[in-house]
Amino acid sequence: MSSSLRFDRGHTDDLMAFLMASPSPYHAVAAAAERLEKAGFRQVEETAAWDGTSGGKYVLRGGAIVAWYVPEGAAAHTPYRIVGAHTDSPNLRVKPLPDTGAYGWRQIAVEIYGGTLLNTWLDRDLGLAGRISLRDGTHRLVNIDRPLLRVPQLAVHLDRSANPDGLKLDRQKHMQPIWGLGDVEEGDLIRFVAEEAGVDADDVTGWDLMPHAVEPPAYLGRDRELLAGPRMDNLLSVHAAAAALAAVAGQPDAELPYIPVMAAFDHEENGSQSDTGADGPLLGTVLERSVFARGGTYEDRARAFAGTVCLSSDTGHAIHPNYAERHDPTHHPVVNGGPILKVNVNMRYATDGSGRAVFAEACRKADVPWQTFVSNNSMPCGTTIGPITAARHGIQTVDIGVAILSMHSARELCGADDPYLLANAVAAFLAG
């Protein structure tokens, strides 16, 4: 094993705590930064001048984090080993004018974010989390982690076709949560959120808020071999990347031929086109500044990027026992079978044969089993930050992840051992 992670449920227990601490992308990067701080990493500001010192560093921007560890004596042209992931999950997001309602019900106006399975948000106890922006330009994290909201489903007596014909939900009319009784009052929600955050409502000038299911993650099954929880797409990979980077940073510098990097982006679920998304300049800027801070030139930057490899880690589809015909007939990833290599010849995933070899070697070093995922030719294939990263930065990229069920549900399902296996494979990759 090339990491210091122990093979027990401790890693999965910590993942469960991470999921609970991360109801929004902003909380997720704060939780990842907290774990890296304990491993000796320190935050650097993008607006400050960077130095070429060795050690662990990280940058926070909104719902994104990029962290890297520079070994002692690393040359300016030293290549990077990157694990990429994303912090956002499909969900509901509070609109700019949130206070709404009718017939004595007070409701919250929400917009649908990403490709969420709408029905999984029905009849759940929901909290509210995210960040508020204050008049002085600072931000405050907010996490109201108790039953506050609910999207009530229409009773079957009033929708007799729901069972035989399938539930039909209108994204605008049917997904607005209730949160109380009485007349609608403009500004009521933000006054409530401000009070919860301990700030004056008049100081709140902006917000990025989202409901979240308050039910905690849980082991499931006769032998507790499964894990059910929210936002595993893709906080499972963010947590694995942070654990792997911290473990690799604890090794002797002389054993690290590369600079290990973790890059967790926001907005993957809606195309990655933002200043904190994978299609933005954040990763490239950080990598270049690190080269130049160590006295490098553009030639050193080009050499470093040419030798760099990125693992794009995101969840994939495990074989579903009730819908086996939807999967490729010869590729059946199973839970607790180890991480999956994701392949699509039309480059919806960035993996090629060379990348497969890199991933296979990392799994061999870590003594981790692995599997391959390919979509059924009759089904459209999803995509990840992998092709975006490869095309934008010109670096070799390999798509991997953990096989799960119920992807994009408010509550997803994976094997309880797979998060640990992924983290060890990633650690072996980062260590080279």
Side-chain angles (χ1 to χ4, degrees):
M1 294 280 180
S2 59
S3 82
S4 61
L5 302 168
R6 298 188 315 157
F7 185 65
D8 57 26
R9 287 290 169 83
H11 178 84
T12 306
D13 290 342
D14 190 65
L15 168 62
M16 295 166 72
F18 183 79
L19 293 173
M20 285 296 291
S22 306
S24 78
Y26 315 107
H27 289 83
V29 298
E34 180 182 8
R35 283 159 170 76
L36 292 172
E37 289 271 357
K38 291 179 180 178
F41 284 69
R42 61 181 178 87
Q43 183 177 2
V44 293
E45 299 291 341
E46 290 188 85
T47 55
W50 291 8
D51 58 44
T53 56
S54 59
K57 306 172 186 180
Y58 68 90
V59 163
L60 295 180
R61 182 193 291 184
I65 179 172
V66 179
W68 65 103
Y69 180 82
V70 180
E72 186 73 34
H77 62 268
T78 301
Y80 298 97
R81 281 287 177 99
I82 305 168
V83 56
H86 65 88
T87 61
D88 60 320
S89 301
N91 61 4
L92 313 177
R93 302 287 176 103
V94 175
K95 288 184 175 180
L97 300 176
D99 299 293
T100 187
Y103 305 106
W105 294 101
R106 296 162 70 189
Q107 295 175 274
I108 304 301
V110 296
E111 193 171 1
I112 310 302
Y113 178 83
T116 186
L117 285 169
L118 297 179
N119 64 293
T120 68
W121 288 86
L122 301 179
D123 298 331
R124 288 187 182 274
D125 296 337
L126 304 174
L128 191 66
R131 69 176 183 179
I132 53 177
S133 302
L134 304 181
R135 194 175 304 279
D136 62 4
T138 63
H139 303 285
R140 184 75 60 88
L141 293 182
V142 178
N143 183 10
I144 306 170
D145 195 31
R146 64 178 186 272
L148 178 69
L149 311 170
R150 185 179 178 92
V151 184
Q153 186 172 344
L154 184 64
V156 69
H157 312 81
L158 303 178
D159 187 9
R160 296 288 184 180
S161 65
N163 283 330
D165 299 332
L167 180 66
K168 295 180 175 60
L169 293 172
D170 184 285
R171 293 162 64 92
Q172 177 62 36
K173 295 192 298 182
H174 299 155
M175 297 305 297
Q176 310 307 312
I178 62 172
W179 77 304
L181 302 173
D183 297 330
V184 177
E185 298 181 25
E186 185 178 351
D188 198 24
L189 177 68
I190 300 308
R191 283 192 293 271
F192 170 77
V193 170
E195 182 179 354
E196 290 285 321
V199 301
D200 192 314
D202 290 338
D203 288 334
V204 178
T205 56
W207 51 87
D208 301 280
L209 299 170
M210 56 206 74
H212 67 277
V214 297
E215 182 182 3
Y219 288 109
L220 183 147
R222 185 193 66 179
D223 299 318
R224 292 163 51 90
E225 68 267 48
L226 301 171
L227 176 66
R231 300 177 293 279
M232 287 194 281
D233 177 13
N234 185 32
L235 295 187
L236 189 158
S237 294
V238 175
H239 177 263
L245 180 59
V248 170
Q251 297 180 193
D253 284 5
E255 298 179 8
L256 297 178
Y258 303 99
I259 295 174
V261 180
M262 163 191 169
F265 302 101
D266 201 352
H267 302 129
E268 189 272 347
E269 298 293 355
N270 59 10
S272 295
Q273 292 186 322
S274 70
D275 69 316
T276 52
D279 203 19
L282 179 60
L283 175 61
T285 299
V286 169
L287 300 183
E288 289 177 347
R289 290 186 69 176
S290 178
V291 169
F292 299 147
R294 283 175 282 125
T297 63
Y298 183 82
E299 181 71 10
D300 292 312
R301 179 263 188 214
R303 293 174 64 187
F305 277 45
T308 292
V309 184
C310 174
L311 288 188
S312 164
S313 182
D314 205 342
T315 54
H317 303 294
I319 181 73
H320 197 304
N322 298 338
Y323 302 91
E325 73 280 0
R326 303 294 181 96
H327 298 264
D328 183 83
T330 59
H331 295 78
H332 291 165
V334 296
V335 298
N336 286 336
I340 56 174
L341 180 74
K342 301 162 78 170
V343 178
N344 180 264
V345 295
N346 294 301
M347 301 312 291
R348 299 290 286 173
Y349 303 131
T351 306
D352 62 9
S354 177
R356 173 191 172 102
V358 172
F359 179 64
E361 177 62 11
C363 290
R364 185 196 67 79
K365 287 182 177 179
D367 194 23
V368 166
W370 60 281
Q371 312 172 79
T372 305
F373 171 82
V374 178
S375 288
N376 187 309
N377 284 325
S378 300
M379 306 289 292
C381 181
T383 191
T384 69
I385 65 167
I388 295 172
T389 303
R392 180 169 184 83
H393 305 294
I395 56 181
Q396 183 181 20
T397 305
V398 189
D399 271 294
I400 66 162
V402 161
I404 70 171
L405 294 182
S406 305
M407 187 185 296
H408 286 197
S409 169
R411 193 168 178 85
E412 298 160 324
L413 184 72
C414 75
D417 293 332
D418 279 332
Y420 165 83
L421 295 174
L422 174 67
N424 275 274
V426 168
F429 164 78
L430 291 177

